[in-house]
Amino acid sequence: MQLAEYGSRLDAPLQYSDEPPFQDFYHAHMQFFKVLLNKGRDEGLAYFREQLDAEPDERDRPLLAYVLVDLLMRSGRLQEAVDLAAEALTGVSEEVTGSLIELCLEADRMPTLREVMRRQEDPVLFAAVLLSEQRSAKTAAPAPMNG
């Protein structure tokens, strides 16, 4: 955090840019660390949400969304992470699909995962989610009472 603060005070020619969402390299890293250290977490998350909302390049949006999903997960905001991942990261890569599956399982959001698999037209994972939901429903149902 201190190095990012130091870098943010350097003259403009001494600062450099990186890939989104770290174009404003030092400031973006300060926001990232705020989230991780829980010192201005909401401000840091808002910064990355604004970056995502303002990004005009559709090719860069998944990377921005991935960073924000990661920060939401690390912050224990699983429901928000699932919502964003389902909206912005579906169909990006198999790696992300695997992460989405794990995230939905952890957040107990199987209906969201089912809907994403339906939209992606992935019949195998769609069927797996349906079977998982059915098993969960059976184990959660109360046992019948015998008289």
Side-chain angles (χ1 to χ4, degrees):
M1 180 78 155
Q2 291 173 338
L3 189 56
E5 289 173 355
Y6 171 79
S8 71
R9 287 188 237 119
L10 293 173
D11 286 337
L14 298 175
Q15 295 192 25
Y16 59 94
S17 180
D18 201 359
E19 297 292 321
F22 297 99
Q23 303 94 307
D24 186 355
F25 189 81
Y26 294 109
H27 181 70
H29 279 85
M30 286 188 331
Q31 299 304 319
F32 190 86
F33 293 132
K34 282 181 182 181
V35 175
L36 296 181
L37 297 171
N38 196 19
K39 294 182 178 181
R41 179 173 280 169
D42 289 337
E43 177 187 340
L45 290 170
Y47 172 83
F48 287 101
R49 278 191 192 96
E50 290 167 9
Q51 294 293 311
L52 178 59
D53 291 343
E55 181 57 52
D57 189 345
E58 289 299 316
R59 293 172 299 176
D60 287 336
R61 288 182 60 80
L63 180 58
L64 287 154
Y66 190 81
V67 169
L68 183 53
V69 166
D70 179 54
L71 288 172
L72 288 167
M73 289 171 49
R74 292 178 188 216
S75 301
R77 297 181 182 191
L78 296 179
Q79 302 305 322
E80 291 175 65
V82 169
D83 291 340
L84 179 59
E87 172 193 327
L89 295 178
T90 56
V92 175
S93 74
E94 287 184 28
E95 254 180 37
V96 172
T97 300
S99 298
L100 179 62
I101 292 169
E102 291 175 28
L103 178 57
C104 287
L105 287 170
E106 188 175 339
D108 195 24
R109 293 280 299 273
M110 296 306 282
T112 301
L113 182 58
R114 178 178 14 95
E115 176 58 23
V116 168
M117 293 305 110
R118 186 191 63 73
R119 283 194 324 248
Q120 285 186 244
E121 298 179 358
D122 188 327
V124 174
L125 285 177
F126 181 80
V129 172
L130 283 176
L131 288 171
S132 176
E133 287 179 313
Q134 288 177 350
R135 278 194 203 120
S136 294
K138 284 180 183 177
T139 58
M145 298 182 68
N146 292 332

